[in-house]
């Protein structure tokens, strides 16, 4: 079987502002289109760290490691996209030559910001819903499972509302268009088709292995896990949510892997539907130029994977 017909050879992708990043087996590549229509690349070889790879093989723990790694990687490539945009707008005053130490510090700094941003957002999203639920429904009934269900519903409402409103801004809309382009390219590749704009545009912007599915699963899995633990006060409830957060992330990742493995079984495909429904908000139909950038990023990643 040729390489392009091997579904298991498909790598993860991620939309960045005015560009697309694909993660290969040996290199991560971001492609960004400049105003003169040329496409520029950020090519970062993947360095395998022994203890990190070992953690990725442990169920529950591998989900947390993967999320932290993806946050750091995404922040680095988003920074490249933002720098290109700034140069196009004349924001960057002059190019400075950086030492090797300076470059390493910059990469580490961006990675740390990405990880901290993810953790901050996750903590806020974990703590705000139970606070709202307690204020509105805390004294209405004593059934804690009922409170957990309402908390989960509030999370879904906040999540969908937040994504919807930010998607109305031009910048986020374009980001979601690139997200859709990335999904289309992966789907075309998995189908064994030549990666042309015409072929890629035939596919849906929705894809089972998207991170949007993971976000939904953290809400649904959280409701189930929280139901196994009792609390006697609101403070205890909040502390419990924080302590259980790593477990929720780990289990959600395993559920995502499980549903992905069942996506070709017609009766069980519905298990992945919640994530696909959220993608109706997090992806938009891309134009041909955005698909071209996504194809360029994917092809460059595959080319470098073969060379390295």
């Amino acid at each position: 079987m040729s390489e392009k017909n091997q579904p298991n050879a498909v790598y993860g992708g991620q939309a960045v502002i005015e560009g697309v990043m694909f993660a290969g087996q040996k290199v991560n590549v971001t492609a960004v289109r400049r105003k003169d229509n040329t496409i520029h690349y950020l090519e970062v070889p993947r360095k395998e760290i022994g203890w990190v790879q070992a953690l990725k093989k442990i169920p529950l723990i591998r989900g947390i490691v993967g999320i932290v790694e993806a946050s750091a990687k995404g922040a680095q490539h988003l920074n490249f996209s933002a720098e290109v945009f700034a140069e196009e707008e004349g924001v960057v005053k002059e190019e400075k030559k950086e030492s090797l130490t300076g470059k390493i510090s910059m990469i580490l700094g961006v990675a740390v910001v990405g990880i901290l941003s993810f953790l901050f957002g996750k903590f806020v999203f974990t703590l705000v819903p139970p606070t709202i639920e307690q204020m509105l429904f805390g004294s209405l009934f004593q059934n804690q499972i009922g409170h957990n269900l309402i908390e989960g519903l509030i999370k879904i409402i906040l999540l969908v509302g937040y994504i919807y409103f930010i998607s109305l801004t031009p910048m986020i809309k374009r980001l979601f268009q690139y997200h859709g382009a990335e999904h289309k390219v992966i789907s075309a590749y998995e189908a064994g088709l030549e990666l042309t704009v015409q072929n890629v545009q035939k596919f849906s912007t929705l894809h089972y292995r998207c991170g949007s599915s993971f976000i939904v699963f953290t809400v649904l899995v959280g409701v189930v896990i929280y139901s196994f633990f009792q609390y006697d006060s609101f403070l205890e409830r909040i502390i419990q949510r924080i302590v259980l957060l790593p477990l929720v992330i780990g289990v959600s990742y395993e559920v995502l892997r499980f549903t992905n493995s069942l996506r070709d079984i017609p009766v069980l495909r519905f298990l992945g539907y919640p994530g696909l429904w959220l993608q109706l908000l997090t992806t938009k139909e891309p134009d041909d130029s955005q698909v071209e950038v996504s194809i360029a990023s994917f092809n460059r990643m595959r080319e470098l994977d073969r060379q390295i």
Side-chain angles (χ1 to χ4, degrees), residues 19 27 33 74 79-80 100 103 117 148 162 164 172 175 185 197 201 209 216 231 233 246 255 266 269 307:
V27 64
R33 186 189 294 277
N79 183 67
F80 167 72
L100 178 60
K103 290 182 179 180
S117 298
N148 292 337
Y162 172 74
Y164 171 75
I172 299 301
L175 177 68
V185 168
V197 173
Q201 286 284 36
R209 289 197 302 276
V216 174
Y231 53 84
S233 66
V255 172
R269 286 179 61 87
Q307 293 177 1

PDB file of all heavy atoms in Angstrom, residues 19 27 33 74 79-80 100 103 117 148 162 164 172 175 185 197 201 209 216 231 233 246 255 266 269 307:
ATOM      1  N   GLY A  19      -2.771  30.894   8.694  1.00  0.00           N
ATOM      2  CA  GLY A  19      -1.940  29.767   8.316  1.00  0.00           C
ATOM      3  C   GLY A  19      -2.390  28.483   8.963  1.00  0.00           C
ATOM      4  O   GLY A  19      -3.347  28.457   9.741  1.00  0.00           O
ATOM      5  N   VAL A  27       8.688  16.166  12.052  1.00  0.00           N
ATOM      6  CA  VAL A  27       8.772  17.619  11.970  1.00  0.00           C
ATOM      7  C   VAL A  27       7.375  18.226  12.039  1.00  0.00           C
ATOM      8  O   VAL A  27       6.392  17.612  11.615  1.00  0.00           O
ATOM      9  CB  VAL A  27       9.466  18.046  10.651  1.00  0.00           C
ATOM     10  CG1 VAL A  27       8.634  17.631   9.440  1.00  0.00           C
ATOM     11  CG2 VAL A  27       9.748  19.538  10.630  1.00  0.00           C
ATOM     12  N   ARG A  33       0.629  32.448   4.426  1.00  0.00           N
ATOM     13  CA  ARG A  33       0.645  33.199   3.174  1.00  0.00           C
ATOM     14  C   ARG A  33       0.863  34.685   3.457  1.00  0.00           C
ATOM     15  O   ARG A  33       0.165  35.282   4.278  1.00  0.00           O
ATOM     16  CB  ARG A  33      -0.661  33.007   2.413  1.00  0.00           C
ATOM     17  CG  ARG A  33      -0.632  33.655   1.022  1.00  0.00           C
ATOM     18  CD  ARG A  33      -2.018  33.652   0.372  1.00  0.00           C
ATOM     19  NE  ARG A  33      -2.483  32.327   0.082  1.00  0.00           N
ATOM     20  CZ  ARG A  33      -2.144  31.632  -1.005  1.00  0.00           C
ATOM     21  NH1 ARG A  33      -1.316  32.163  -1.887  1.00  0.00           N
ATOM     22  NH2 ARG A  33      -2.636  30.423  -1.204  1.00  0.00           N
ATOM     23  N   GLY A  74       1.449  24.583  19.845  1.00  0.00           N
ATOM     24  CA  GLY A  74       0.549  25.513  19.180  1.00  0.00           C
ATOM     25  C   GLY A  74       0.928  26.952  19.428  1.00  0.00           C
ATOM     26  O   GLY A  74       0.855  27.791  18.529  1.00  0.00           O
ATOM     27  N   ASN A  79       2.818  32.019  17.382  1.00  0.00           N
ATOM     28  CA  ASN A  79       3.730  33.146  17.497  1.00  0.00           C
ATOM     29  C   ASN A  79       4.375  33.451  16.150  1.00  0.00           C
ATOM     30  O   ASN A  79       4.522  34.617  15.753  1.00  0.00           O
ATOM     31  CB  ASN A  79       4.804  32.853  18.546  1.00  0.00           C
ATOM     32  CG  ASN A  79       5.740  34.029  18.763  1.00  0.00           C
ATOM     33  OD1 ASN A  79       5.332  35.060  19.271  1.00  0.00           O
ATOM     34  ND2 ASN A  79       7.000  33.874  18.368  1.00  0.00           N
ATOM     35  N   PHE A  80       4.766  32.411  15.404  1.00  0.00           N
ATOM     36  CA  PHE A  80       5.347  32.597  14.066  1.00  0.00           C
ATOM     37  C   PHE A  80       4.339  33.273  13.142  1.00  0.00           C
ATOM     38  O   PHE A  80       4.663  34.227  12.430  1.00  0.00           O
ATOM     39  CB  PHE A  80       5.763  31.245  13.488  1.00  0.00           C
ATOM     40  CG  PHE A  80       6.074  31.283  12.017  1.00  0.00           C
ATOM     41  CD1 PHE A  80       7.227  31.884  11.543  1.00  0.00           C
ATOM     42  CD2 PHE A  80       5.199  30.714  11.097  1.00  0.00           C
ATOM     43  CE1 PHE A  80       7.514  31.922  10.185  1.00  0.00           C
ATOM     44  CE2 PHE A  80       5.474  30.731   9.743  1.00  0.00           C
ATOM     45  CZ  PHE A  80       6.634  31.343   9.283  1.00  0.00           C
ATOM     46  N   LEU A 100      21.930  31.764  19.698  1.00  0.00           N
ATOM     47  CA  LEU A 100      21.265  30.478  19.887  1.00  0.00           C
ATOM     48  C   LEU A 100      20.555  30.450  21.234  1.00  0.00           C
ATOM     49  O   LEU A 100      19.425  29.971  21.350  1.00  0.00           O
ATOM     50  CB  LEU A 100      22.298  29.344  19.809  1.00  0.00           C
ATOM     51  CG  LEU A 100      21.755  27.920  20.043  1.00  0.00           C
ATOM     52  CD1 LEU A 100      20.691  27.595  18.999  1.00  0.00           C
ATOM     53  CD2 LEU A 100      22.901  26.908  20.004  1.00  0.00           C
ATOM     54  N   LYS A 103      17.305  32.391  20.998  1.00  0.00           N
ATOM     55  CA  LYS A 103      16.246  31.672  20.286  1.00  0.00           C
ATOM     56  C   LYS A 103      15.619  30.601  21.176  1.00  0.00           C
ATOM     57  O   LYS A 103      14.411  30.422  21.194  1.00  0.00           O
ATOM     58  CB  LYS A 103      16.812  31.041  19.006  1.00  0.00           C
ATOM     59  CG  LYS A 103      17.179  32.059  17.943  1.00  0.00           C
ATOM     60  CD  LYS A 103      17.701  31.366  16.680  1.00  0.00           C
ATOM     61  CE  LYS A 103      18.037  32.389  15.607  1.00  0.00           C
ATOM     62  NZ  LYS A 103      18.554  31.755  14.378  1.00  0.00           N
ATOM     63  N   SER A 117      -1.591  29.546  29.514  1.00  0.00           N
ATOM     64  CA  SER A 117      -2.870  30.008  28.980  1.00  0.00           C
ATOM     65  C   SER A 117      -3.891  28.885  28.993  1.00  0.00           C
ATOM     66  O   SER A 117      -5.058  29.082  29.353  1.00  0.00           O
ATOM     67  CB  SER A 117      -2.692  30.541  27.550  1.00  0.00           C
ATOM     68  OG  SER A 117      -1.830  31.652  27.530  1.00  0.00           O
ATOM     69  N   ASN A 148     -24.739  18.334  39.555  1.00  0.00           N
ATOM     70  CA  ASN A 148     -23.669  18.064  38.586  1.00  0.00           C
ATOM     71  C   ASN A 148     -24.177  18.179  37.160  1.00  0.00           C
ATOM     72  O   ASN A 148     -23.479  18.689  36.272  1.00  0.00           O
ATOM     73  CB  ASN A 148     -23.084  16.666  38.821  1.00  0.00           C
ATOM     74  CG  ASN A 148     -22.323  16.564  40.126  1.00  0.00           C
ATOM     75  OD1 ASN A 148     -21.857  17.558  40.668  1.00  0.00           O
ATOM     76  ND2 ASN A 148     -22.201  15.358  40.645  1.00  0.00           N
ATOM     77  N   TYR A 162     -19.520  31.278  24.185  1.00  0.00           N
ATOM     78  CA  TYR A 162     -18.206  31.908  24.014  1.00  0.00           C
ATOM     79  C   TYR A 162     -17.676  31.707  22.595  1.00  0.00           C
ATOM     80  O   TYR A 162     -17.245  32.667  21.933  1.00  0.00           O
ATOM     81  CB  TYR A 162     -17.226  31.320  25.028  1.00  0.00           C
ATOM     82  CG  TYR A 162     -15.792  31.748  24.816  1.00  0.00           C
ATOM     83  CD1 TYR A 162     -15.372  33.036  25.147  1.00  0.00           C
ATOM     84  CD2 TYR A 162     -14.858  30.862  24.284  1.00  0.00           C
ATOM     85  CE1 TYR A 162     -14.061  33.438  24.959  1.00  0.00           C
ATOM     86  CE2 TYR A 162     -13.539  31.256  24.085  1.00  0.00           C
ATOM     87  CZ  TYR A 162     -13.154  32.537  24.422  1.00  0.00           C
ATOM     88  OH  TYR A 162     -11.859  32.932  24.222  1.00  0.00           O
ATOM     89  N   TYR A 164     -19.350  30.948  19.899  1.00  0.00           N
ATOM     90  CA  TYR A 164     -20.201  31.620  18.909  1.00  0.00           C
ATOM     91  C   TYR A 164     -19.856  33.099  18.801  1.00  0.00           C
ATOM     92  O   TYR A 164     -19.692  33.641  17.697  1.00  0.00           O
ATOM     93  CB  TYR A 164     -21.677  31.449  19.278  1.00  0.00           C
ATOM     94  CG  TYR A 164     -22.591  32.287  18.418  1.00  0.00           C
ATOM     95  CD1 TYR A 164     -22.862  31.928  17.097  1.00  0.00           C
ATOM     96  CD2 TYR A 164     -23.164  33.462  18.923  1.00  0.00           C
ATOM     97  CE1 TYR A 164     -23.690  32.721  16.303  1.00  0.00           C
ATOM     98  CE2 TYR A 164     -23.990  34.249  18.137  1.00  0.00           C
ATOM     99  CZ  TYR A 164     -24.247  33.879  16.828  1.00  0.00           C
ATOM    100  OH  TYR A 164     -25.046  34.660  16.035  1.00  0.00           O
ATOM    101  N   ILE A 172     -11.117  35.700  14.137  1.00  0.00           N
ATOM    102  CA  ILE A 172     -11.437  34.342  14.573  1.00  0.00           C
ATOM    103  C   ILE A 172     -12.168  33.588  13.468  1.00  0.00           C
ATOM    104  O   ILE A 172     -11.972  32.373  13.299  1.00  0.00           O
ATOM    105  CB  ILE A 172     -12.277  34.375  15.863  1.00  0.00           C
ATOM    106  CG1 ILE A 172     -11.490  35.043  16.990  1.00  0.00           C
ATOM    107  CG2 ILE A 172     -12.672  32.961  16.274  1.00  0.00           C
ATOM    108  CD1 ILE A 172     -10.184  34.361  17.322  1.00  0.00           C
ATOM    109  N   LEU A 175      -9.575  32.273  11.304  1.00  0.00           N
ATOM    110  CA  LEU A 175      -8.918  31.173  12.009  1.00  0.00           C
ATOM    111  C   LEU A 175      -9.734  29.895  11.865  1.00  0.00           C
ATOM    112  O   LEU A 175      -9.190  28.816  11.587  1.00  0.00           O
ATOM    113  CB  LEU A 175      -8.743  31.533  13.480  1.00  0.00           C
ATOM    114  CG  LEU A 175      -8.123  30.462  14.383  1.00  0.00           C
ATOM    115  CD1 LEU A 175      -6.669  30.240  14.020  1.00  0.00           C
ATOM    116  CD2 LEU A 175      -8.240  30.862  15.839  1.00  0.00           C
ATOM    117  N   VAL A 185      -8.161  18.799   4.207  1.00  0.00           N
ATOM    118  CA  VAL A 185      -6.936  18.210   3.663  1.00  0.00           C
ATOM    119  C   VAL A 185      -6.698  16.822   4.245  1.00  0.00           C
ATOM    120  O   VAL A 185      -6.376  15.870   3.527  1.00  0.00           O
ATOM    121  CB  VAL A 185      -5.724  19.133   3.926  1.00  0.00           C
ATOM    122  CG1 VAL A 185      -4.413  18.399   3.642  1.00  0.00           C
ATOM    123  CG2 VAL A 185      -5.816  20.375   3.062  1.00  0.00           C
ATOM    124  N   VAL A 197      -6.859  21.567  -4.832  1.00  0.00           N
ATOM    125  CA  VAL A 197      -7.909  22.387  -4.238  1.00  0.00           C
ATOM    126  C   VAL A 197      -9.285  21.822  -4.568  1.00  0.00           C
ATOM    127  O   VAL A 197     -10.168  21.744  -3.708  1.00  0.00           O
ATOM    128  CB  VAL A 197      -7.799  23.847  -4.722  1.00  0.00           C
ATOM    129  CG1 VAL A 197      -9.000  24.664  -4.244  1.00  0.00           C
ATOM    130  CG2 VAL A 197      -6.506  24.480  -4.223  1.00  0.00           C
ATOM    131  N   GLN A 201     -11.747  20.487  -1.540  1.00  0.00           N
ATOM    132  CA  GLN A 201     -12.964  21.244  -1.258  1.00  0.00           C
ATOM    133  C   GLN A 201     -14.222  20.374  -1.267  1.00  0.00           C
ATOM    134  O   GLN A 201     -15.270  20.801  -0.782  1.00  0.00           O
ATOM    135  CB  GLN A 201     -13.137  22.389  -2.276  1.00  0.00           C
ATOM    136  CG  GLN A 201     -12.195  23.563  -2.060  1.00  0.00           C
ATOM    137  CD  GLN A 201     -12.619  24.444  -0.891  1.00  0.00           C
ATOM    138  OE1 GLN A 201     -13.128  23.972   0.119  1.00  0.00           O
ATOM    139  NE2 GLN A 201     -12.370  25.742  -1.025  1.00  0.00           N
ATOM    140  N   ARG A 209     -11.171  13.381  14.703  1.00  0.00           N
ATOM    141  CA  ARG A 209     -10.014  13.495  15.592  1.00  0.00           C
ATOM    142  C   ARG A 209      -9.695  14.935  15.979  1.00  0.00           C
ATOM    143  O   ARG A 209      -8.584  15.235  16.403  1.00  0.00           O
ATOM    144  CB  ARG A 209      -8.797  12.841  14.947  1.00  0.00           C
ATOM    145  CG  ARG A 209      -8.867  11.333  14.893  1.00  0.00           C
ATOM    146  CD  ARG A 209      -7.497  10.715  14.636  1.00  0.00           C
ATOM    147  NE  ARG A 209      -6.906  11.198  13.415  1.00  0.00           N
ATOM    148  CZ  ARG A 209      -7.164  10.692  12.210  1.00  0.00           C
ATOM    149  NH1 ARG A 209      -8.044   9.724  12.077  1.00  0.00           N
ATOM    150  NH2 ARG A 209      -6.586  11.176  11.133  1.00  0.00           N
ATOM    151  N   VAL A 216     -15.579  18.839  24.362  1.00  0.00           N
ATOM    152  CA  VAL A 216     -16.924  18.376  24.721  1.00  0.00           C
ATOM    153  C   VAL A 216     -16.839  17.207  25.691  1.00  0.00           C
ATOM    154  O   VAL A 216     -17.590  17.140  26.672  1.00  0.00           O
ATOM    155  CB  VAL A 216     -17.706  17.967  23.462  1.00  0.00           C
ATOM    156  CG1 VAL A 216     -19.050  17.346  23.847  1.00  0.00           C
ATOM    157  CG2 VAL A 216     -17.929  19.175  22.577  1.00  0.00           C
ATOM    158  N   TYR A 231     -19.693  15.915  48.368  1.00  0.00           N
ATOM    159  CA  TYR A 231     -19.109  17.095  49.007  1.00  0.00           C
ATOM    160  C   TYR A 231     -20.108  17.649  50.009  1.00  0.00           C
ATOM    161  O   TYR A 231     -21.326  17.506  49.861  1.00  0.00           O
ATOM    162  CB  TYR A 231     -18.735  18.150  47.964  1.00  0.00           C
ATOM    163  CG  TYR A 231     -19.863  18.527  47.032  1.00  0.00           C
ATOM    164  CD1 TYR A 231     -20.810  19.483  47.389  1.00  0.00           C
ATOM    165  CD2 TYR A 231     -19.975  17.927  45.777  1.00  0.00           C
ATOM    166  CE1 TYR A 231     -21.840  19.833  46.535  1.00  0.00           C
ATOM    167  CE2 TYR A 231     -21.009  18.255  44.916  1.00  0.00           C
ATOM    168  CZ  TYR A 231     -21.930  19.213  45.288  1.00  0.00           C
ATOM    169  OH  TYR A 231     -22.960  19.551  44.450  1.00  0.00           O
ATOM    170  N   SER A 233     -19.776  20.987  51.295  1.00  0.00           N
ATOM    171  CA  SER A 233     -19.858  22.440  51.237  1.00  0.00           C
ATOM    172  C   SER A 233     -19.443  22.911  49.847  1.00  0.00           C
ATOM    173  O   SER A 233     -18.851  22.157  49.062  1.00  0.00           O
ATOM    174  CB  SER A 233     -18.941  23.076  52.293  1.00  0.00           C
ATOM    175  OG  SER A 233     -17.584  22.804  51.997  1.00  0.00           O
ATOM    176  N   PRO A 246      -7.122  16.709  36.604  1.00  0.00           N
ATOM    177  CA  PRO A 246      -6.243  15.813  35.823  1.00  0.00           C
ATOM    178  C   PRO A 246      -6.918  14.496  35.441  1.00  0.00           C
ATOM    179  O   PRO A 246      -6.716  13.986  34.332  1.00  0.00           O
ATOM    180  CB  PRO A 246      -5.057  15.579  36.771  1.00  0.00           C
ATOM    181  CG  PRO A 246      -5.060  16.756  37.680  1.00  0.00           C
ATOM    182  CD  PRO A 246      -6.502  17.092  37.887  1.00  0.00           C
ATOM    183  N   VAL A 255     -11.483   8.411  26.235  1.00  0.00           N
ATOM    184  CA  VAL A 255     -12.798   8.302  25.587  1.00  0.00           C
ATOM    185  C   VAL A 255     -12.712   8.765  24.143  1.00  0.00           C
ATOM    186  O   VAL A 255     -13.300   8.159  23.239  1.00  0.00           O
ATOM    187  CB  VAL A 255     -13.848   9.123  26.362  1.00  0.00           C
ATOM    188  CG1 VAL A 255     -15.170   9.167  25.587  1.00  0.00           C
ATOM    189  CG2 VAL A 255     -14.076   8.529  27.745  1.00  0.00           C
ATOM    190  N   PRO A 266     -20.935   1.800  11.742  1.00  0.00           N
ATOM    191  CA  PRO A 266     -22.136   2.643  11.588  1.00  0.00           C
ATOM    192  C   PRO A 266     -22.962   2.788  12.856  1.00  0.00           C
ATOM    193  O   PRO A 266     -23.396   3.896  13.199  1.00  0.00           O
ATOM    194  CB  PRO A 266     -22.927   1.911  10.488  1.00  0.00           C
ATOM    195  CG  PRO A 266     -21.877   1.193   9.699  1.00  0.00           C
ATOM    196  CD  PRO A 266     -20.843   0.764  10.703  1.00  0.00           C
ATOM    197  N   ARG A 269     -21.037   5.142  15.447  1.00  0.00           N
ATOM    198  CA  ARG A 269     -20.499   6.439  15.019  1.00  0.00           C
ATOM    199  C   ARG A 269     -21.068   7.597  15.848  1.00  0.00           C
ATOM    200  O   ARG A 269     -20.425   8.635  16.012  1.00  0.00           O
ATOM    201  CB  ARG A 269     -20.803   6.691  13.541  1.00  0.00           C
ATOM    202  CG  ARG A 269     -19.967   5.883  12.581  1.00  0.00           C
ATOM    203  CD  ARG A 269     -20.358   6.183  11.145  1.00  0.00           C
ATOM    204  NE  ARG A 269     -20.139   7.580  10.816  1.00  0.00           N
ATOM    205  CZ  ARG A 269     -18.987   8.081  10.371  1.00  0.00           C
ATOM    206  NH1 ARG A 269     -17.939   7.276  10.224  1.00  0.00           N
ATOM    207  NH2 ARG A 269     -18.865   9.353  10.077  1.00  0.00           N
ATOM    208  N   GLN A 307      12.613  13.164   4.344  1.00  0.00           N
ATOM    209  CA  GLN A 307      14.018  13.536   4.230  1.00  0.00           C
ATOM    210  C   GLN A 307      14.795  13.337   5.529  1.00  0.00           C
ATOM    211  O   GLN A 307      15.968  12.946   5.509  1.00  0.00           O
ATOM    212  CB  GLN A 307      14.133  15.001   3.795  1.00  0.00           C
ATOM    213  CG  GLN A 307      13.643  15.264   2.387  1.00  0.00           C
ATOM    214  CD  GLN A 307      13.714  16.730   2.031  1.00  0.00           C
ATOM    215  OE1 GLN A 307      14.150  17.567   2.844  1.00  0.00           O
ATOM    216  NE2 GLN A 307      13.273  17.074   0.835  1.00  0.00           N
TER     217      GLN A 307
END
